[in-house]
Amino acid sequence: GNIFKNCYRELIGLEAYGATGVVEDVTVTGNVLMASELAGYHQGGSVGPALLVGGSTSLGTVRNCTVTGNTIQVRDNVASSIYRGIDITGGTSNPVEDCLVSNNMVYTPSGAGIWAGALGQVTRNCKVSDNTIYGANAAASGTASAITLRNATGFTVQDNKVRGSAHVYA
């Protein structure tokens, strides 16, 4: 039942810090995240995502986390932005694994509504189900999808809804 509005960088981050850092068995549920893409709301020019599970520079481990029943609204879309709703990204040496992202509502991100994995970073054995992505706007790069999997393995993606999306791919 928390409300997060116009925070710097991520509004909620489950990010293991350092080589031995661990985020494990954490549940994020029932929150409202209202993010703005305007530069004044972002520390050092870093943009989002609204909710981060893992972290692209993290060497630690993130596993067995649940993200469910959250509402994410991304406002003030900036044409050059790739602000994501929910980002599940493994660290440079350790993956994010065994996480559930379910029953969330994501409104109007310019980047992917839900993003998993990245170049050189593996995300594995996660389930993305029963989420709804509304009125999403395609990123300037034209590569964003409503749901994007990159370097992801052992994933289940089922029963998600994409409504009114301008993404290049669903």
Side-chain angles (χ1 to χ4, degrees):
N2 297 298
I3 298 174
F4 296 86
K5 185 175 180 180
N6 296 340
C7 298
Y8 290 119
R9 290 185 160 173
E10 300 87 23
L11 282 77
I12 296 177
L14 306 180
E15 186 172 5
Y17 187 75
T20 58
V22 175
V23 174
E24 187 172 31
D25 300 322
V26 174
T27 298
V28 176
T29 186
N31 299 289
V32 175
L33 288 70
M34 293 180 279
S36 172
E37 293 187 13
L38 296 177
Y41 292 114
H42 301 286
Q43 182 179 14
S46 177
V47 178
L51 198 155
L52 175 65
V53 180
S56 60
T57 60
S58 173
L59 297 173
T61 301
V62 177
R63 66 176 160 250
N64 300 325
C65 294
T66 300
V67 175
T68 184
N70 299 286
T71 300
I72 298 169
Q73 180 184 20
V74 180
R75 300 179 332 277
D76 309 315
N77 293 116
V78 176
S80 62
S81 179
I82 53 167
Y83 200 106
R84 299 172 183 149
I86 299 171
D87 193 332
I88 313 160
T89 302
T92 52
S93 61
N94 293 329
V96 169
E97 56 190 2
D98 302 317
C99 292
L100 171 66
V101 175
S102 180
N103 293 305
N104 299 287
M105 292 184 292
V106 181
Y107 293 89
T108 63
S110 60
I114 299 171
W115 173 279
L119 184 61
Q121 300 155 352
V122 177
T123 303
R124 64 175 163 225
N125 301 331
C126 296
K127 183 175 182 180
V128 175
S129 67
D130 299 303
N131 299 286
T132 303
I133 300 167
Y134 290 96
N137 302 302
S141 66
T143 60
S145 302
I147 298 172
T148 298
L149 302 182
R150 279 198 179 163
N151 289 338
T153 183
F155 258 71
T156 300
V157 178
Q158 70 182 43
D159 298 325
N160 297 284
K161 297 164 194 69
V162 178
R163 298 176 187 256
S165 174
H167 281 105
V168 177
Y169 311 103

